[in-house]
């Protein structure tokens, strides 16, 4: 468009390669076509993962929780580790979509749809693990407070009950937030589609037509949801951390746990957003939308949270030593040099030391390097939870109650299978919903203004707000 | 009875659409619906929007959720007074977490209900007066007028050079 220069004030420089608004629809809706061979192969792989998950879970249902390695003293193992891992992954989605929305961070627009989808699917994955971990899953409804024949109610003083409320609320609110933001884009998909697809999008976009009334209320509702979701992000992982911190287990009973977990969650979540968005960008040719600037911003977020996490690790070791508390000291000595030393060192290297490379601009601007680092972080953050949970439990107060834990095949099968379950939903997402927020992206594009030459009102460079009353 | 007419104009340029809306409103033609590919504040301003009542839904829903959470946790504790961990029967600080979560949950759900009611979604009427380009990049201005004002409205729209201008005849006396 010839009048691009006029509208530089809109902050359109983030997407120099996008010329017109209509082009956004074409580019973003392109993936919603017939999937190729690679997609089907990945989907098949994920279905195998789901099969592994439910096969392993089935074995546990039939034979009982004894098929796991869980026993005294380590009663929480891979299941809870993986639960915390997925809840953590879920965090950056709402951080990017809600918190950065409130702060008006200009780089969130193109990345947040992927992040939000990831959030919803990660909570769906995380939600499986308490059900798996309770053993008799057919009694899982006991977690929900309902009037029962024995007049028994949940113990609301227990962090585990807080967790049920926090995670359920988090899932509901992030799913609603995700859906509301998608409605206008589903309408765009409807307008571009034909046949059955058109019917499908017509129904799920709720008959959206982009009128002033719809937009007016949607944009307000969106702000309020963002405002409600922002403290929710912080609360959910704080509550998860209290599952541990409220117990008097050495290694858990620390006041820094809530901020430490929240930072870790954002860290792992941003890393996962990098991992997934690099793949989506590559597969669907969205280079003009997910630019180096976006990755640079995410890398910086990763770097900051990595430093917070490393600080938390070091302060934990320091406090254990400084407290002079023998049991605490022993627990942390065990962490570094005991039976699980390898897990601790994986955690320290992947989360604390590998991200130091993000200080360098060259690394932040290399997609391949970022992708590699994000994989390291994903691995490191799983091990962080493993270290916190397992090493703390295996070496508590009484020497006769010390013991090692070894995950069984069933547990590992469920853990590995959960990635298939997550990937399955994510793959469906990439083909069914627009992977970039079409409408919100247009908000940061230059407004199409009448070319100045034949415009009836004068003034080059007039800001968009400067429309005179005709 | 007076016949009613409607025009649907689509514009490529934002300023044209805004100007058309402002002129129509100046002439007292207020039954306007604007279509836009993204929330454009200029168009909302031109249409004279104030605060959205959705905010009341968010507030009331949040307060109800918080009150409900507090009432529920307190009621269930008193209903079966069982001391656990040596804590008081009414352990309010512990319940604050449930109160908070319920506030967020009900605040969010009520915001969505408020949104649906105020924006009249889901909309099941078929898409007749619509142009698929509105979701791509064009701005639409739809106006309903009486026969007497028909020409005036048409002239205002044409003056802004629309890409497309459709005329619809609505039923008699239809509002």
């Amino acid at each position: 468009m010839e009048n691009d220069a006029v509208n530089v004030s809109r902050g359109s420089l983030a997407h120099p390669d996008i010329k017109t608004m209509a082009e956004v629809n074409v580019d973003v809706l392109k993936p919603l076509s017939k999937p190729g061979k690679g997609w089907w192969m990945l989907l098949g792989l994920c279905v195998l993962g789901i099969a592994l998950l439910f096969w392993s879970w089935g074995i546990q249902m039939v034979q009982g929780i004894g098929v796991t390695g869980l026993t005294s003293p380590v009663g929480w193992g891979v299941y809870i580790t993986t639960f915390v891992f997925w809840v953590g992954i879920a965090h950056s989605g709402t951080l990017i979509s809600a918190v950065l929305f409130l702060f008006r961070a200009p780089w969130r627009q193109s990345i947040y749809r992927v992040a939000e989808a990831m959030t919803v699917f990660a909570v769906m994955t995380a939600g499986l693990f308490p059900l798996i971990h309770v053993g008799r899953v057919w009694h899982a409804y006991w977690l929900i407070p309902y009037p029962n024949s024995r007049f028994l109610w949940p113990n609301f003083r227990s962090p585990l009950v807080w967790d049920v409320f926090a995670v359920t609320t988090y899932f509901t609110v992030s799913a609603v937030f995700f859906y509301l933001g998608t409605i206008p884009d589903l309408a765009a998909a409807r307008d571009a589609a034909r046949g059955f697809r058109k019917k499908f999008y017509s129904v799920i976009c709720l008959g959206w037509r982009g009128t002033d009334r719809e937009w007016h209320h949607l944009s307000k509702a969106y702000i309020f949801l963002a405002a409600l979701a922002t403290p929710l992000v912080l609360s959910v992982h704080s509550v998860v951390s209290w599952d541990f911190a409220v117990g008097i287990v050495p290694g858990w009973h620390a006041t820094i746990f809530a901020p430490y977990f929240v930072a870790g969650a954002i860290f792992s979540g941003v890393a996962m957003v990098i991992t997934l968005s690099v793949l989506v960008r590559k597969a669907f040719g969205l280079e003009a939308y997910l630019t180096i600037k976006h990755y640079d911003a995410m890398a910086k977020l990763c770097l900051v949270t990595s430093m917070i996490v490393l600080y938390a690790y070091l302060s934990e070791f320091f406090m254990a030593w400084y407290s002079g508390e023998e049991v605490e000291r022993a627990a942390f000595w065990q962490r570094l040099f005991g039976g699980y030393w390898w897990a601790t060192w994986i955690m320290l290297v992947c989360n604390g030391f590998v991200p130091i490379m993000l200080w360098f601009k060259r690394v932040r601007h290399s997609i391949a390097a970022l992708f590699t680092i994000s994989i390291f972080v994903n691995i490191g953050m799983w091990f962080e939870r493993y270290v916190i949970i397992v090493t703390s439990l295996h070496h508590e107060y009484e020497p006769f109650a010390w013991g090692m834990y070894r995950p069984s095949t069933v547990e590992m099968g469920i853990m590995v299978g959960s990635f298939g379950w997550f990937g399955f939903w994510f793959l469906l997402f990439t083909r069914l919903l627009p992977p970039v927020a079409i409408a919100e992206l247009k908000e940061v594009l230059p407004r199409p203004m009448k070319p100045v030459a034949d415009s009836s009102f004068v003034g080059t460079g007039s800001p968009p707000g400067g429309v005179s009353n005709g | 009875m007076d016949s009613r007419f409607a025009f649907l104009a689509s514009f490529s340029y934002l300023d044209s659409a805004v100007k058309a809306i402002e002129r129509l409103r100046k002439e007292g033609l207020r039954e306007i619906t604007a279509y836009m590919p993204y929330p454009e504040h200029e168009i909302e301003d031109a249409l004279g929007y104030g605060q959205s009542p959705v905010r009341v839904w968010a507030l009331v829903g949040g307060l109800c959720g918080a009150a409900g959470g507090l009432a529920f946790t307190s009621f269930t504790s008193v209903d079966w007074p069982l001391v656990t961990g040596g804590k008081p029967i009414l352990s309010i600080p512990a319940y604050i977490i449930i109160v908070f979560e319920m506030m967020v949950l009900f605040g969010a759900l009520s915001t969505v209900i408020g949104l649906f009611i105020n924006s009249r979604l889901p909309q099941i009427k078929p898409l007749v007066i619509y142009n698929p380009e509105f979701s791509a990049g064009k701005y639409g201005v739809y106006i309903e007028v009486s026969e007497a004002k028909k020409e005036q409205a048409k002239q205002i729209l044409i003056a802004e050079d629309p890409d497309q201008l459709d005329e619809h005849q609505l039923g008699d006396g239809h509002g």
Side-chain angles (χ1 to χ4, degrees), chain B residues 1 7 22 55 61 72 86 105 141 161:
Chain B
M1 283 256 237
F7 293 102
E22 282 173 348
R55 62 190 191 140
F72 185 65
L105 181 64
V141 176
D161 199 15

Side-chain angles (χ1 to χ4, degrees), chain B:
Chain B
M1 283 256 237
D2 212 11
S3 281
R4 304 271 301 165
F5 291 89
F7 293 102
L8 179 64
S10 48
F11 296 97
S12 286
Y13 301 115
L14 171 63
D15 40 359
S16 311
V18 171
K19 230 166 152 192
I21 292 171
E22 282 173 348
R23 287 208 175 141
L24 287 169
R25 280 173 59 90
K26 219 174 167 187
E27 298 301 325
L29 303 168
R30 293 184 160 262
E31 287 176 57
I32 304 171
T33 303
Y35 295 85
M36 36 195 167
Y38 59 91
E40 175 55 65
H41 299 299
E42 272 186 65
I43 289 181
E44 284 183 21
D45 292 346
L47 287 166
Y49 269 104
Q51 285 286 357
S52 163
V54 169
R55 62 190 191 140
V56 181
W57 285 85
L59 178 72
V60 172
L63 290 179
C64 288
L70 187 63
F72 185 65
T73 44
S74 309
F75 158 74
T76 54
S77 309
V78 177
D79 188 42
W80 186 290
L82 185 69
V83 176
T84 52
K87 302 291 188 297
I89 295 296
L90 275 179
S91 307
I92 301 295
Y95 301 163
I96 294 295
I97 290 148
I98 309 284
V99 170
F100 172 79
E101 300 297 340
M102 291 295 96
M103 179 193 77
V104 171
L105 181 64
F106 283 88
L109 293 180
S110 128
T111 306
V112 175
I113 295 171
L115 164 70
F116 280 3
I117 289 174
N118 280 295
S119 62
R120 303 192 186 154
L121 288 171
Q123 184 66 261
I124 47 169
K125 271 190 283 178
L127 276 175
V128 179
I129 300 170
Y130 184 72
N131 182 344
E133 283 177 308
F134 293 154
S135 67
K138 289 200 177 171
Y139 305 90
V141 176
Y142 171 78
I143 174 122
E144 285 186 15
V145 282
S146 63
E147 193 161 13
K149 298 259 184 182
K150 187 181 152 193
E151 272 312 303
Q152 194 189 3
K154 194 173 177 178
Q155 286 314 316
I156 293 174
L157 290 172
I158 287 175
E160 292 309 325
D161 199 15
D163 301 338
Q164 200 182 331
L165 182 65
D166 301 324
E167 191 177 325
H168 301 267
Q169 184 167 5
L170 305 172
D172 280 347
H174 173 76

Side-chain angles (χ1 to χ4, degrees), chain A residues 133 261 409 413 432:
Chain A
H133 182 81
F261 266 52
T409 349
L432 288 175

